[in-house]
Amino acid sequence: MAKSKVRKKAVYTPPQKSQKAVVSPRWLVPTMIACWLVGLAWIATFYVTASTGTKVPVMTGLSNWNLGLGFGLIIVGLALATRWR
């Protein structure tokens, strides 16, 4: 029986990764924390003013959309947190 030819393959060498570290932009962390705090403060202010009957001009016009605005800011902060390295 005939013997098959042996093919010699070059040994695989993976491409070298650069040693440069990926760093977050400087504005990312302060913006992320500010979004969390402003969103939380917005929701807390809405609940406090709604329970006491105080009329805040901007919040009165938005009524229950204040919750959406506050949670939207918190979600933006979470989205920024995924980009933090």
Side-chain angles (χ1 to χ4, degrees), residues 14-71:
Q16 293 182 356
K17 295 182 181 179
S18 66
Q19 298 298 329
K20 186 177 178 183
V22 179
V23 181
S24 300
R26 295 184 66 127
W27 56 267
L28 186 75
V29 174
T31 306
M32 173 181 67
I33 293 172
C35 284
W36 287 341
L37 294 177
V38 170
L40 182 64
W42 192 274
I43 292 171
T45 305
F46 170 66
Y47 275 122
V48 169
T49 58
S51 65
T52 61
T54 308
K55 301 291 182 189
V56 178
V58 175
M59 289 190 164
T60 305
L62 292 174
S63 66
N64 285 333
W65 283 100
N66 286 304
L67 292 175
L69 182 67
F71 282 120

